[in-house]
Amino acid sequence: NIRANIPFDDINVFVGRKKDIRQISNAILEIPNQNGIIYGPGGIGKTALMLKILSDLNIESTEDDKLFDNLIFVSAKTNYYNPITREIVEKGKAVKNLSNIFSVILSFFESPHVDTYDFGSQRELVIDLLENNRVLLIIDNYETLSKEEGRKIINFFSEELKYILRAKPHYFKVLITSRELVPSGFYQYKLKGLNSRETAQFIKKEYDDKYRDGKQQLTTDQVTRIHDTSNGIPIVLKQIMARIYENNESVVDVVSNISGKDDNLVNFSFKEVLGILKKDPLILDILILMDIIGNPI
């Protein structure tokens, strides 16, 4: 008896992350009144992790232990990186403000005439629904929102709604994914790359799903080199696999030039960092100098 709008088509290769899921569950999901922000660079696997958590809640919960009756996924993603073609691809319609999120919630609960309500009416209807239903809301790719709209969303869900639901602290929870740490009262969880064991599992699953027909499996040493080069970032692992198996490049060539050859990947995953560097030449000069003198950046 759980309602969900999980976009299963977006669930790709997923392995590991058991420690992350356990920590997010213990520190956020199971704590009344606790909201959370999962942050890390583009391609680190934030969306995949959220979809996995939603899927687990939907499939594994029983009537006695379920935390939520309704699982709502909202995406603010404006583009995605295709690791096979190595292109940044524009995505379709995405939420841009609090009103859009209200519309998704109202549509989820099949409220009639959703498009006819003004913001005030939306707000009152959403509050009424959240007072009477246990809801987990995922807001994906928060960093694409304007600062003004992002702040309105944080303020509503962390202050206004929390006060309104003070007698029902377990009725609503929001999880946000972002490339940046977001100043707020939310619990902040930094997502890192896969560890060496999880990287090996990821590579094997990607190989089994896409490349096993007529292709030789990678050796343990090759997998280790790939992990050390990629830092276990899933989007980088996918691109490495595509270059090895679809472009027939050698493992040595791929791991030796993965960062220098693929500007789109760097631009996609670290655009916030690059934006800061462009605004502050002094920081860029310091980083270049540290690299020249051999200090680990």
Side-chain angles (χ1 to χ4, degrees):
N1 293 323
I2 295 178
R3 293 161 54 91
N5 69 338
I6 304 169
F8 281 108
D9 290 345
D10 289 344
I11 299 179
N12 232 322
V13 176
F14 191 93
V15 298
R17 298 290 195 195
K18 291 182 179 179
K19 180 180 177 182
D20 295 309
I21 293 172
R22 185 168 60 251
Q23 287 188 257
I24 290 170
S25 179
N26 292 341
I28 304 173
L29 294 180
E30 297 179 8
I31 306 297
N33 252 339
Q34 182 74 284
N35 296 314
I37 294 174
I38 316 303
Y39 71 99
I44 200 75
K46 302 182 295 296
T47 301
L49 178 60
M50 291 301 97
L51 294 175
K52 172 64 174 172
I53 287 172
L54 287 176
S55 180
D56 287 350
L57 287 171
N58 187 53
I59 295 170
E60 297 177 4
S61 298
T62 66
E63 193 63 38
D64 294 330
D65 67 4
K66 66 179 179 179
L67 298 173
F68 308 98
D69 300 306
N70 304 276
L71 310 174
I72 305 176
F73 182 88
V74 175
S75 177
K77 183 178 290 188
T78 56
N79 58 40
Y80 67 94
Y81 181 76
N82 187 324
I84 296 176
T85 63
R86 286 179 266 171
E87 295 175 327
I88 298 175
V89 182
E90 294 300 316
K91 194 174 171 65
K93 185 178 180 181
V95 300
K96 296 180 180 179
N97 51 47
L98 184 56
S99 178
N100 292 161
I101 294 175
F102 285 166
S103 292
V104 173
I105 295 173
L106 292 172
S107 296
F108 179 88
F109 284 104
E110 300 178 357
S111 297
H113 315 300
V114 170
D115 295 334
T116 65
Y117 300 127
D118 59 24
F119 181 80
S121 299
Q122 285 182 323
R123 181 181 178 278
E124 293 306 313
L125 288 167
V126 165
I127 289 172
D128 183 62
L129 286 168
L130 298 181
E131 283 182 310
N132 293 285
N133 296 277
R134 292 188 300 170
V135 175
L136 171 63
L137 173 68
I138 303 288
I139 302 175
D140 194 34
N141 287 89
Y142 174 89
E143 77 283 345
T144 63
L145 300 167
S146 70
K147 287 192 176 181
E148 180 182 359
E149 292 300 335
R151 179 48 49 194
K152 288 179 182 177
I153 290 168
I154 292 289
N155 287 344
F156 176 76
F157 288 120
S158 67
E159 296 176 13
E160 293 182 53
L161 190 61
K162 186 174 286 190
Y163 179 78
I164 292 167
L165 297 179
R166 60 191 182 279
K168 299 178 178 180
H170 60 292
Y171 260 51
F172 178 80
K173 192 174 296 293
V174 59
L175 275 180
I176 291 173
T177 72
S178 173
R179 293 187 178 188
E180 305 168 288
L181 188 148
V182 180
S184 64
F186 288 33
Y187 184 94
Q188 310 267 352
Y189 185 83
K190 184 176 182 179
L191 191 63
K192 300 178 181 179
L194 302 174
N195 61 34
S196 57
R197 178 179 55 80
E198 291 170 334
T199 295
Q201 292 175 344
F202 186 99
I203 288 174
K204 185 176 187 308
K205 192 167 192 324
E206 186 86 349
Y207 171 82
D208 289 342
D209 290 347
K210 297 180 181 177
Y211 304 118
R212 67 183 306 155
D213 294 338
K215 305 283 186 177
Q216 188 172 358
Q217 197 165 352
L218 299 174
T219 67
T220 301
D221 288 343
Q222 288 173 327
V223 171
T224 299
R225 290 193 64 182
I226 290 172
H227 172 262
D228 293 343
T229 302
S230 67
N231 289 317
I233 299 175
I235 199 169
V236 181
L237 293 172
K238 289 183 180 182
Q239 179 160 302
I240 288 174
M241 294 289 283
R243 288 179 58 180
I244 291 171
Y245 287 111
E246 297 193 24
N247 296 356
N248 295 315
E249 298 181 51
S250 71
V251 175
V252 173
D253 287 343
V254 173
V255 299
S256 64
N257 62 22
I258 186 70
S259 61
K261 189 174 181 181
D262 296 289
D263 293 337
N264 275 345
L265 175 58
V266 176
N267 287 331
F268 175 79
S269 294
F270 302 101
K271 65 179 181 180
E272 292 76 25
V273 177
L274 296 174
I276 292 172
L277 296 181
K278 290 175 183 177
K279 294 177 183 177
D280 195 332
L282 178 59
I283 291 178
L284 181 58
D285 288 343
I286 291 172
L287 289 174
I288 292 172
L289 179 60
M290 290 173 66
D291 189 47
I292 291 172
I293 65 177
N295 254 13
I297 292 177

